[in-house]
Amino acid sequence: MLLQHFKNVDLALVPAKSFMHIIHIASELAPIAKAGGLADVVYGLCQETLKLKYTTGVILPKYDCIDYKQLSDLKVEQKDIWILAGSNRYNNTIWSANLGKVKIFLIESDHPERLYNRGVIYGCSDDIDRFIYFSCVAMQFLLQLEKQPDILHLHDWHTSLIALLCQKNNCKLKSVLTIHNLAHQGTCSISTLFKLGKDLLKDLDFSDSLNLLETGIIYADCVAIVSPNYQKEIQTPEGGCGLDGVLREYQKKLVSILNGIDQDYWNPTKDPYLKRNYPINELESVLKAKLENKYYLQKHLFLTQENVPLISCITRLVPQKGPDLIEYGMIRTLELGGQFVLRGSVSKSNNHIEEQFASLQEKYRNDNRIAILLINDEKLAHLIFAASDLFIIPSLFEPCGLTQMIAMRYGTIPIARMTGGLVDTVFDIDTSNKPFEKRNGFTFAFADQQGVNWALERAITCYKNHKKWQQIIKAGLNYDSSWKKSTKQYLCIYEELLTLKT
Ligand code: ADP
């Protein structure tokens, strides 16, 4: 069976098909349309496959909030993609553009609800409708192409319906679905589906409702999970968000591929947003430059300019990320003599968390040991990664997590809760059974205050132990978070799918 075979493959020996055309269909793409890690993953994977000379493109909604300045050669690619939605027919236009070397296709719709002109990627009450419609137009576009791609790569519930659409429309394309976060599934009624893409969805034999992510798991040819540990967790009733049964049933097509980060984009040597760049192979220069970045950030954020442990957190402020533990970590850091910088993005759907942090922001407004920033600013995130000593991730669950890898790339030590992909990437300096030179952080097992406190106290104490401290930084800098290995794994899957008979 496909993935049984895959597990025994020596990646270095996988013969490269001379030509393969891969199309990603996704709701996000860094850096032009980013809400979180999904955007980074699609971008990083495209960049790496392009380096290996495969043709790669991405289909996205033509959001009004895309950063269009970063695109070149924006033009209409195809007009008159019609979708029968309910009893109405709506026209759609496909635009094409280049994002560096990545070819992108943007779907613009004449749908009267102005589906992608809301100033946001997510957070609308009709998000499910918006992405079902997007999936239908993307499918229609693919069906009309003269030359179809070899592989469709789908991401999360937003585009997982396409695996089913392929089947129902006799499209022989092979599909890979990557699950970035099982907690979001997109459930809708069948009448909603018909309202959005009737002609593509004929002959559906579902009863009255449909779980989009589950549909993707059932119909995609391969389902990739973003870390080995998360793959195990989601097949249990505790971690399966109601889909553990289906995942166990389709176990044979599951494969875990650990995410990487784009090391060109996250690169302290040439990052344009730092005060001082640094080569990562010279520890002394790293330490010196980090201190200069720290003083600069402190000044910029009106914090006291002093060399105390600076702990940061850059995250979406949603229940998954443990907002109460972030708050506790902030307060405890101050008690232990450190400083804290939080860059949190809030969304309309989590009003109570927004209020919680808005009131903390107010409370600490004049405290020059803490900065709480609830605005979205990618550039500042780069400087924070470089300037911090420690980076805290107290997630309740974390499919893979990218921020721990970005932090390590900038010589910043992660403090992470042992869940999902954090288990696969962060190894505790005191308790891990990894060789000493691979131990790159501080971890804690349970998502509670005791856990945070235990890790935080050890980290802040260690700050004064230069030898041990530098050893941890070095292990982080040496951690291989590149996309190289994971891209080969994806390519290996693509290759295998293409050799399978339908
Ligand atoms: P998730 O996808 O669950 O948000 P990840 O750790 O996989 O978490 O990826 C988060 C990505 O989004 C990282 O690139 C991180 O820097 C970025 N990010 C998250 N929140 C913010 C924020 N408030 N401001 C800037 N970047 C953010």
Side-chain angles (χ1 to χ4, degrees):
M1 196 52 206
L2 166 71
L3 302 169
Q4 294 305 325
H5 172 53
F6 166 70
K7 279 169 193 149
N8 298 323
V9 166
D10 176 351
L11 296 172
L13 299 178
V14 174
K17 192 171 182 284
S18 56
F19 178 81
M20 203 195 298
H21 185 191
I22 304 142
I23 286 281
H24 291 263
I25 311 180
S27 53
E28 298 183 40
L29 175 66
I32 55 163
K34 171 168 166 176
L38 197 161
D40 291 317
V41 170
V42 178
Y43 180 75
L45 194 49
C46 283
Q47 289 292 1
E48 197 63 34
T49 37
L50 278 166
K51 277 188 211 159
L52 299 171
K53 311 271 185 254
Y54 293 93
T55 320
T56 311
V58 185
I59 303 180
L60 275 177
K62 190 168 184 288
Y63 301 114
D64 55 354
C65 57
I66 282 179
D67 183 0
Y68 285 95
K69 289 190 298 294
Q70 302 199 43
L71 299 180
S72 59
D73 214 12
L74 180 66
K75 58 175 189 285
V76 170
E77 177 80 18
Q78 194 169 335
K79 286 183 177 169
D80 296 326
I81 306 279
W82 290 92
I83 291 287
L84 178 61
S87 49
N88 298 312
R89 217 166 249 289
Y90 299 119
N91 197 0
N92 303 275
T93 303
I94 312 292
W95 293 71
S96 67
N98 296 319
L99 172 65
K101 290 184 180 151
V102 181
K103 180 94 181 163
I104 64 171
F105 299 96
L106 300 168
I107 289 179
E108 181 182 55
S109 175
D110 283 355
H111 195 287
E113 299 290 335
R114 298 169 56 78
L115 298 172
Y116 314 117
N117 295 335
R118 311 279 183 82
V120 290
I121 297 176
Y122 310 121
C124 307
S125 56
D126 59 350
D127 275 356
I128 292 186
D129 298 16
R130 295 168 70 224
F131 291 107
I132 291 175
Y133 187 84
F134 168 61
S135 300
C136 291
V137 183
M139 187 75 242
Q140 196 66 271
F141 171 49
L142 290 166
L143 288 170
Q144 292 182 20
L145 279 180
E146 257 172 47
K147 177 157 179 17
Q148 294 200 329
D150 297 294
I151 293 286
L152 288 185
H153 196 140
L154 315 174
H155 297 270
D156 272 352
W157 69 267
H158 316 98
T159 56
S160 56
L161 179 67
I162 291 170
L164 168 70
L165 294 180
C166 273
Q167 271 241 345
K168 292 286 167 198
N169 293 280
N170 255 337
C171 170
K172 301 268 184 292
L173 289 176
K174 296 290 181 195
S175 58
V176 175
L177 166 67
T178 294
I179 298 184
H180 300 261
N181 195 333
L182 191 76
H184 306 291
Q185 300 174 4
T187 306
C188 67
S189 66
I190 293 297
S191 57
T192 303
L193 273 183
F194 287 150
K195 198 179 79 193
L196 293 158
K198 204 167 172 181
D199 38 5
L200 288 169
L201 289 158
K202 53 188 178 288
D203 305 331
L204 274 195
D205 39 13
F206 294 98
S207 48
D208 54 347
S209 75
L210 185 67
N211 178 318
L212 296 171
L213 191 64
E214 181 180 13
T215 304
I217 295 169
I218 296 169
Y219 287 95
D221 296 296
C222 173
V223 179
I225 314 293
V226 291
S227 73
N229 193 50
Y230 192 56
Q231 184 187 2
K232 283 186 215 143
E233 287 174 356
I234 59 177
Q235 291 183 68
T236 65
E238 300 75 41
C241 303
L243 292 184
D244 50 296
V246 182
L247 287 162
R248 286 194 301 275
E249 189 181 337
Y250 290 92
Q251 204 175 40
K252 286 213 174 101
K253 60 175 164 179
L254 301 190
V255 61
S256 67
I257 301 184
L258 191 63
N259 283 338
I261 55 172
D262 184 331
Q263 297 202 325
D264 247 10
Y265 182 69
W266 298 109
N267 186 353
T269 313
K270 58 173 196 188
D271 191 324
Y273 306 123
L274 308 194
K275 168 74 175 155
R276 169 72 59 205
N277 291 107
Y278 45 100
I280 54 167
N281 50 2
E282 291 167 28
L283 192 58
E284 221 167 282
S285 316
V286 172
L287 297 173
K288 231 169 117 199
K290 281 186 71 66
L291 190 59
E292 199 176 330
N293 284 312
K294 173 149 99 178
Y295 287 147
Y296 181 74
L297 179 73
Q298 285 171 328
K299 187 167 170 212
H300 181 74
L301 298 178
F302 304 105
L303 302 177
T304 312
Q305 279 183 286
E306 57 182 335
N307 191 9
V308 292
L310 178 65
I311 295 161
S312 62
C313 180
I314 299 174
T315 188
R316 293 180 296 120
L317 284 169
V318 293
Q320 172 196 341
K321 304 291 179 180
D324 291 342
L325 295 179
I326 295 172
E327 176 178 349
Y328 175 76
M330 269 170 21
I331 292 161
R332 198 63 196 121
T333 297
L334 302 191
E335 287 169 1
L336 292 167
Q339 293 185 355
F340 201 100
V341 174
L342 169 69
R343 269 237 354 84
S345 30
V346 284
S347 69
K348 285 183 210 149
S349 41
N350 288 293
N351 267 341
H352 61 293
I353 301 180
E354 183 173 2
E355 279 163 22
Q356 176 185 357
F357 283 88
S359 87
L360 284 167
Q361 197 178 39
E362 195 48 43
K363 181 170 168 195
Y364 290 104
R365 185 167 293 284
N366 298 316
D367 192 322
N368 49 18
R369 299 167 302 163
I370 185 163
I372 300 175
L373 309 157
L374 304 178
I375 44 156
N376 210 330
D377 182 351
E378 173 93 5
K379 294 175 192 161
L380 189 62
H382 287 241
L383 179 63
I384 297 171
F385 278 118
S388 309
D389 299 297
L390 292 154
F391 189 96
I392 190 162
I393 314 162
S395 303
L396 308 190
F397 69 93
E398 194 60 72
C400 177
L402 299 179
T403 51
Q404 77 279 19
M405 295 193 242
I406 302 171
M408 290 192 277
R409 174 95 175 131
Y410 283 77
T412 299
I413 300 175
I415 300 177
R417 152 115 209 279
M418 286 292 84
T419 179
L422 296 170
V423 173
D424 296 307
T425 50
V426 185
F427 313 114
D428 191 280
I429 184 67
D430 299 315
T431 61
S432 167
N433 52 16
K434 291 269 176 198
F436 195 60
E437 67 278 8
K438 292 211 183 294
R439 300 188 198 172
N440 53 16
F442 296 89
T443 64
F444 57 100
F446 298 106
D448 56 22
Q449 294 191 352
Q450 259 176 315
V452 172
N453 188 43
W454 183 64
L456 202 52
E457 277 187 0
R458 285 188 299 130
I460 290 183
T461 309
C462 180
Y463 185 69
K464 297 194 190 80
N465 180 342
H466 298 300
K467 197 166 164 230
K468 189 172 173 186
W469 185 258
Q470 290 174 19
Q471 172 61 45
I472 309 174
I473 293 183
K474 220 160 120 186
L477 291 169
N478 287 336
Y479 177 84
D480 180 9
S481 54
S482 74
W483 266 107
K484 279 199 183 80
K485 186 173 168 212
S486 307
T487 303
K488 275 195 173 173
Q489 290 176 318
Y490 272 116
L491 287 172
C492 180
I493 288 174
Y494 300 159
E495 300 262 2
E496 278 208 64
L497 290 178
L498 293 178
T499 59
L500 286 183
K501 298 251 170 355
T502 36

